[in-house]
Amino acid sequence: MTTAVPGERGRLTVLRAAWLFDGMSSALIRDPVVVIEDSTILGVGSGGRAPEHGTVIDLPGATLLPGLVDTHVHLAFDASADPVGNLARRHDSEVAEAMARAGRAALRGGVTTVRDLGDRGYLSLGLRGRADLPTIVAAGPPITTPGGHCHYLGGTAAPTIEGVQAAVREHAARGVDVIKIMASGGNLTPGSREDLAQFPPEVLSAAVDEADRLGLPVTAHAHAVDAIADAVAAGVDGLEHVTFWTEDSVDAPAHLIQLIADQRIVVGATVGMVPVPGMAPPPAVAMRMPAMIANMRRLYESGAVMVAGTDAGIAPVKPHDVVRHAPPMLGQLGFSPAEALRAITSVAAGVCGLGHSKGRIAPGFDADILCVDGDPVADPEALHRIRAVYARGTAVTRPGS
Ligand SMILES: [Zn+2]
């Protein structure tokens, strides 16, 4: 058994199961024994022998895997048919309550870390560190143009160098973990356009430089080809959606795909959807979908760093635990089953800046563990057969358990 250096003996919990996916290796470990001390993984072994003390929990036929990580959620959107309208009708205190409900739903669904890429009034920052919620990495309100995409979240900046610098400084002063900037228009905002960049290139660059100076990573919402190109030139750390949207289609230039891959810019693929009868994507999305999937596949084949940033919360097909539904879609892009699981655990944790503490079952890592029936590498459906969820060493209460 590999163990971290034990300190004062804390509360020990021992999980025994049939298999373990450790977040990194493609091969499952048989008959794992995971020893948890308080909120941290103390040791990982195999062979079924448990240490002499501690509470032993046997999970026969089950696989242990790292708690899931979604790099793009909106706790403030309620996954209803009208998330924007519902948000507008709520006072901040009601929004904070709804966000906590969303977080608990995520946690019950095995999602132990979320990166919130757009709230209202910096409300997600106040939810960080709560024992009943996933670990939250927070962007606050996305920085956007006057009347631009998601302006109603309150992150409007003047579209000038000084304007975005001030907005980035305000976000830093509030204590955000990451800067989200709307480089193009988007679906949820009538009047904004997916096919157009929102900021002049030098303004986008100034925002990224200011964030760099303050030690904050930047991820850019980018549909339009120009917005993607500008964000890449500006040196963003990540891109969300990356649909290469044009007025009537999509167009992904080969050199831009290669640049994204070569510069190790993280592609947040908006994958993961629950089947909801009668719900179809908007026509403008549906008609572009085959080409969008083909372009995502090209990104994958170019070696781009890719994760599932689901946009959880924006529609009924996107509940807050939707990332469990990402692996089959990642499979369509070329991911092997184990690569898909890495994309929603260890790789996603790294993208959230938590590669040292999340996304792996290994000594010293946080004891965020999802336990499912069956083998999720052989059968992605197994991810939905949840037996238990541990968040920082504590079992999450699930209805009926
Ligand atoms: Zn979003």
Side-chain angles (χ1 to χ4, degrees), residues 72 74 180 241 311:
H72 185 155
H74 298 279
K180 165 85 173 298
H241 313 306
D311 234 348

Side-chain angles (χ1 to χ4, degrees), residues 72 149 180-186 193-198 204 219-232 236 238-245 260 267-268 270 296:
H72 185 155
H149 183 41
K180 165 85 173 298
I181 189 160
M182 300 303 205
S184 76
R193 285 179 54 176
E194 278 113 316
D195 61 316
L196 296 180
Q198 293 204 134
L204 194 60
T219 193
H221 160 109
H223 285 291
V225 180
D226 286 349
I228 295 169
D230 293 349
V232 168
V236 294
L239 293 164
E240 307 302 316
H241 313 306
V242 207
T243 55
F244 299 98
W245 202 281
I260 292 168
V267 175
T270 318
M296 280 287 150

Side-chain angles (χ1 to χ4, degrees), residues 102-126:
R104 285 192 292 272
L107 204 49
R108 285 195 299 272
V111 186
T112 51
T113 301
V114 297
R115 187 170 68 162
D116 189 302
L117 288 187
D119 68 7
R120 191 181 80 192
Y122 296 91
L123 289 170
S124 56
L125 279 67

